[in-house]
Amino acid sequence: MLQSRLKPVTAFAAKPSPLVAFVTVIVIGVVGFYSLHFPFRSAASLDASRFDHVFLSSSSNATISSYLRALTVHPHLAGTKPASLTARYVLNHFTGLGFRTTTARYRPLLSYPLRSSLSAHFSDGSSLEFRLGEGEGNGEVVAPYHAYSPSGSAWAAAVFVNYGREEDFRLLAAAGVGVAGCVAVARSGGGVGRGAVVEAAERHGAAAVVVFGDGDTWPRGFERGHVMRGGIGDPLSPGWGGVDGGESLGLDDNEVLRRFPKIPSMPLSSEAAERILASLGGAPLPLDWRGTLKSSKVRNVGPGPTILNFTYQGEMKVATIENVFAIIKGREESDRYVLLGNHRDAWTYGAVDPNSGTAALLDIARRYAILLRLGWTPRRTIILCSWDAEEFGMVGSTEWVEQNLVNLRSKAVAYLNVDCAVQGPSFFAGSTPQLDDLLLDIIKKVKDPDSDEGTTIYQNWAAGGGKSNIQRLGRVDSDFAPFVQHAGVPSIDMYYGKDYPVYHTAFDSYNWMTEFGDPFFQRHVAVTGIWGLLALRLADDSIIPFNYVSYADQLQVYNDKLSNLLDKQISLHPLTASIQEFASAAKEANEESEKLRLQENSDHFVNMKIRALNDRLMLAEKGFLDVDGLRGRQWFKHLVFGPPRDQESKLDFFPGIADSMSEMFKMSEKERLAAIQHELWRVARAIQRAASALRGDLA
């Protein structure tokens, strides 16, 4: 049974477990002991490893479970009243722990469904009206829809387009299958997002699109999501925070209109999709598609003879969203910020996405409160961030980053993101490369929740590839994107479990988590431990624990890959030389760090040197930003990590170069080579800027 059928509980009012009460008593006793026997001992003099130990040992599976239960009593779609209540719950939690709290409200353009229908009309004269919804939640769950889809209808033949990639449309065309005027039926996956699927179908003349989840997706589940294109954030305030009373573009503005598809789309359950696809005639299903398709009943791709009657009506409206923050002010460098962020809004109940992460954030706050009572104060300021409207395209975090861009670029040490803390087994993480070594060091201290007693996460990771397991942050699928790709803030993203079958469906409930995702909440405890310890190191180490040698190594890997892909007429010398320069600067920074650690606390002059080095370590990432951004996509400023325009690109790095390589069919050979060479020079200059920032030198 799903949570909506459980005995009701008071929303957003989780009682502390007996274990929490016991820990609280112990903490009060420890605080009293220190107050009586060490009245003059400062927090700075206490061993940092002791605080790490207290942080890890104060974990509580039951407490995290209670947070998640409270957060998922009701669906809480951004811009709705339940979403506002969830914000109040998080705010009250932070306030109750004694933290200074603040909120940031915005008025972005969001999108909601009004009505929709879909029926299939078969060649034998029969028809079937599909039920568009999972039948869960007593009407609380929003109907399946694609946010920012235009309203529209179609009465047209169905045609199967596989993942909706360009290569799929080319294969259909080669088989003589036309898509124009049809309703395209696509399955999610294949490395392309739903927005790109709709855009490609529109380009090939489709009248409408339905997208279903294949693979391990629950048969009756509808995968909600947005189909906005061309960037992230509020489409009415591209590049600036959409504050109430500020500048806002009109819905008829060309820059706004280009963000939305021109043909309607909606999600479909795999159960309904199989019924449609099994009825198609026309060209046979390509063997490559058949090998990865879950259903064995699909034999042909169409078009027809099955006709789909598709109708969707929605509305776009400005709604209020709210980011919530808890602030722990630093004692020595209060103007330097370590940020931990997770989004709070969900398409439905959101037990996995995102509130497994929200529950972890709340537990970090609880544990930090324990440390504060023991006398700890971070060297740098820590900010816990609860974002809103992420599901509509990272709206809440993007608006806040845009509004605070200057301060973030000059004062943010790092951003640590957790979206879905737990989706299933196995730990995954991505980072900007200067944080690789810190990440590996931290996971050596946290027990693996899926292994024998005493085994750390690092031990299993090392057996599976070690540092090579770390992903990079060029995607635009969570709240790290504005920090890395627009503001140039060093970042980490982490989670347990690669995929899960109830993604964006009404089945993403507390019950699913307790039955399948993490029954004993051990994985939640592990993510919370890693997340909190990372922030403690970044906030408390006198010298920020960045290693840019790892960055130089990663850039060299990218250079080697490019040499195998690019035409020999293109010179890689500018890139190779800039990477060598950056590697030299990174080595010098490491050597300086080691010398200053040995001299630490010797005099005020050394402290000033440490501060100057930290500034350079922080600012080096900003060197990879380009003021003009990517060509045609100026919001994306990072020239190393960012999304390529073509989601089927062979490059998941150097997005400007990737764009030039993908657009070769639009220009002559001479123009293509010149465009790629220019983008390569831009990357080389960015790497040189980062090297100069790391050295602190003027050219």
Side-chain angles (χ1 to χ4, degrees):
M1 293 177 68
L2 291 178
Q3 68 177 40
S4 57
R5 296 176 183 166
L6 296 173
K7 182 179 179 181
V9 300
T10 302
F12 317 122
K15 291 181 64 178
S17 68
L19 179 59
V20 175
F22 173 75
V23 170
T24 303
V25 170
I26 294 298
V27 168
I28 292 172
V30 172
V31 171
F33 177 81
Y34 272 101
S35 299
L36 287 170
H37 298 280
F38 301 97
F40 304 108
R41 192 176 188 186
S42 70
S45 67
L46 291 175
D47 185 1
S49 64
R50 184 177 304 171
F51 288 124
D52 290 355
H53 176 73
V54 171
F55 179 82
L56 288 176
S57 63
S58 60
S59 66
S60 168
N61 311 49
T63 303
I64 298 177
S65 172
S66 71
Y67 294 151
L68 186 64
R69 182 70 183 95
L71 288 161
T72 57
V73 170
H74 301 289
H76 43 285
L77 184 64
T80 66
K81 184 176 180 180
S84 179
L85 292 174
T86 311
R88 295 281 76 69
Y89 173 69
V90 171
L91 182 66
N92 290 341
H93 177 79
F94 289 156
T95 304
L97 291 170
F99 295 128
R100 182 163 73 88
T101 60
T102 185
T103 60
R105 294 182 178 86
Y106 302 97
R107 296 274 291 164
L109 183 71
L110 302 183
S111 168
Y112 304 96
L114 295 176
R115 60 187 65 87
S116 57
S117 64
L118 182 70
S119 60
H121 300 262
F122 304 109
S123 58
D124 62 2
S126 64
S127 63
L128 176 62
E129 181 83 22
F130 293 106
R131 180 175 181 177
L132 301 182
E134 294 93 343
E136 303 293 337
N138 300 320
E140 289 186 315
V141 178
V142 69
Y145 80 114
H146 286 161
Y148 303 112
S149 167
S151 299
S153 61
W155 173 281
V159 61
F160 182 43
V161 299
N162 197 30
Y163 294 115
R165 303 168 298 190
E166 278 301 324
E167 64 183 78
D168 295 322
F169 285 106
R170 286 194 295 268
L171 192 58
L172 289 173
V177 177
V179 177
C182 297
V183 176
V185 182
R187 54 172 167 159
S188 60
V192 295
R194 71 185 69 81
V197 172
V198 175
E199 188 173 4
E202 178 186 313
R203 220 168 26 243
H204 288 274
V209 184
V210 291
V211 183
F212 69 96
D214 197 30
D216 295 328
T217 303
W218 280 24
R220 292 190 296 114
F222 289 76
E223 185 184 298
R224 297 153 181 83
H226 79 84
V227 291
M228 185 168 61
R229 61 180 64 154
I232 59 178
D234 179 14
L236 302 184
S237 59
W240 64 90
V243 296
D244 196 17
E247 181 184 8
S248 182
L249 301 181
L251 273 172
D252 57 351
D253 189 286
N254 286 333
E255 188 166 358
V256 176
L257 292 174
R258 70 179 181 84
R259 301 286 295 275
F260 309 135
K262 294 187 172 52
I263 62 172
S265 65
M266 70 171 73
L268 193 62
S269 68
S270 60
E271 184 178 71
E274 182 181 62
R275 182 72 178 86
I276 294 169
L277 296 179
S279 70
L280 295 181
L285 187 73
L287 290 177
D288 288 348
W289 298 6
R290 187 174 301 173
T292 57
L293 194 63
K294 184 176 181 181
S295 174
S296 60
K297 298 179 181 179
V298 183
R299 300 294 181 187
N300 304 85
V301 298
T306 299
I307 302 295
L308 295 182
N309 186 6
F310 172 110
T311 302
Y312 172 74
Q313 185 178 355
E315 64 173 346
M316 296 191 193
K317 65 179 182 180
V318 172
T320 299
I321 64 169
E322 188 172 12
N323 298 330
V324 179
F325 305 93
I327 301 164
I328 307 173
K329 191 172 182 179
R331 68 176 183 273
E332 295 175 34
E333 299 180 73
S334 60
D335 61 336
R336 297 292 183 258
Y337 308 128
V338 176
L339 303 110
L340 296 80
N342 158 265
H343 79 93
R344 189 181 62 251
D345 64 298
W347 289 112
T348 64
Y349 298 103
V352 174
D353 185 7
N355 295 131
S356 59
T358 311
L361 188 70
L362 298 184
D363 199 54
I364 285 175
R366 178 187 66 84
R367 296 203 225 175
Y368 282 173
I370 292 173
L371 298 187
L372 288 166
R373 294 187 194 109
L374 289 173
W376 166 79
T377 306
R379 178 188 183 100
R380 304 178 185 92
T381 296
I382 293 176
I383 304 177
L384 308 180
C385 314
S386 177
W387 310 116
D388 204 350
E390 186 270 356
E391 297 293 5
F392 289 82
M394 282 63 74
V395 175
S397 59
T398 299
E399 298 309 295
W400 189 78
V401 167
E402 291 171 344
Q403 185 183 9
N404 294 280
L405 191 58
V406 172
N407 279 326
L408 288 171
R409 283 184 175 174
S410 60
K411 299 178 180 179
V413 175
Y415 173 68
L416 309 176
N417 187 70
V418 170
D419 192 322
C420 307
V422 180
Q423 303 176 149
S426 299
F427 178 69
F428 295 87
S431 73
T432 48
Q434 73 274 63
L435 283 160
D436 288 356
D437 288 354
L438 175 62
L439 176 62
L440 294 176
D441 188 44
I442 293 300
I443 64 176
K444 291 176 182 177
K445 300 178 180 180
V446 178
K447 293 179 181 178
D448 192 321
D450 298 320
S451 298
D452 296 333
E453 185 72 23
T455 304
T456 66
I457 293 172
Y458 175 79
Q459 287 171 298
N460 286 332
W461 243 46
K467 186 181 287 190
S468 64
N469 285 333
I470 300 176
Q471 305 160 16
R472 296 306 172 207
L473 303 180
R475 313 181 311 275
V476 284
D477 57 1
S478 193
D479 290 304
F480 60 78
F483 285 92
V484 175
Q485 298 159 19
H486 192 66
V489 176
S491 298
I492 290 178
D493 180 53
M494 58 195 145
Y495 51 98
Y496 252 88
K498 191 167 183 62
D499 298 299
Y500 65 108
V502 295
Y503 173 69
H504 286 187
T505 74
F507 302 114
D508 182 7
S509 65
Y510 179 83
N511 271 32
W512 186 88
M513 181 63 76
T514 57
E515 189 171 352
F516 300 104
D518 194 14
F520 301 104
F521 285 80
Q522 294 169 318
R523 294 165 185 158
H524 283 78
V525 168
V527 172
T528 307
I530 298 167
W531 200 6
L533 286 181
L534 282 168
L536 288 178
R537 285 287 308 277
L538 289 162
D540 285 339
D541 281 15
S542 58
I543 298 175
I544 297 171
F546 288 170
N547 182 2
Y548 279 96
V549 172
S550 293
Y551 220 127
D553 292 343
Q554 183 68 79
L555 292 172
Q556 186 58 52
V557 169
Y558 293 161
N559 186 63
D560 294 342
K561 288 182 178 179
L562 269 184
S563 68
N564 295 324
L565 291 172
L566 292 179
D567 193 294
K568 299 304 179 184
Q569 299 178 63
I570 296 172
S571 172
L572 283 174
H573 175 71
L575 184 61
T576 302
S578 67
I579 293 172
Q580 291 173 349
E581 181 182 348
F582 183 80
S584 177
K587 183 181 178 183
E588 292 168 12
N590 277 6
E591 291 171 351
E592 184 178 354
S593 296
E594 290 304 316
K595 289 180 181 178
L596 289 175
R597 284 191 183 96
L598 295 175
Q599 302 170 25
E600 191 177 350
N601 298 323
S602 60
D603 58 46
H604 181 67
F605 184 62
V606 171
N607 291 336
M608 291 176 63
K609 283 186 173 182
I610 289 175
R611 171 79 172 193
L613 173 61
N614 283 338
D615 285 349
R616 284 150 42 205
L617 292 171
M618 285 171 47
L619 292 173
E621 185 71 39
K622 284 73 178 173
F624 299 117
L625 303 178
D626 187 280
V627 65
D628 294 327
L630 300 180
R631 187 162 54 88
R633 299 182 295 146
Q634 290 78 10
W635 187 91
F636 294 99
K637 305 293 186 185
H638 208 291
L639 296 189
V640 179
F641 300 119
R645 188 191 301 274
D646 179 7
Q647 292 194 23
E648 299 173 46
S649 171
K650 294 180 181 179
L651 295 187
D652 57 1
F653 54 90
F654 299 161
I657 297 175
D659 287 353
S660 292
M661 292 173 65
S662 298
E663 294 172 1
M664 62 182 67
F665 62 90
K666 297 180 181 178
M667 54 186 78
S668 68
E669 177 73 2
K670 182 179 180 180
E671 290 172 328
R672 181 181 72 86
L673 294 175
I676 295 173
Q677 188 71 67
H678 173 64
E679 289 297 333
L680 194 143
W681 270 110
R682 289 182 74 201
V683 174
R685 288 192 290 270
I687 295 172
Q688 288 172 338
R689 286 195 299 271
S692 295
L694 204 48
R695 285 194 167 113
D697 294 338
L698 295 174

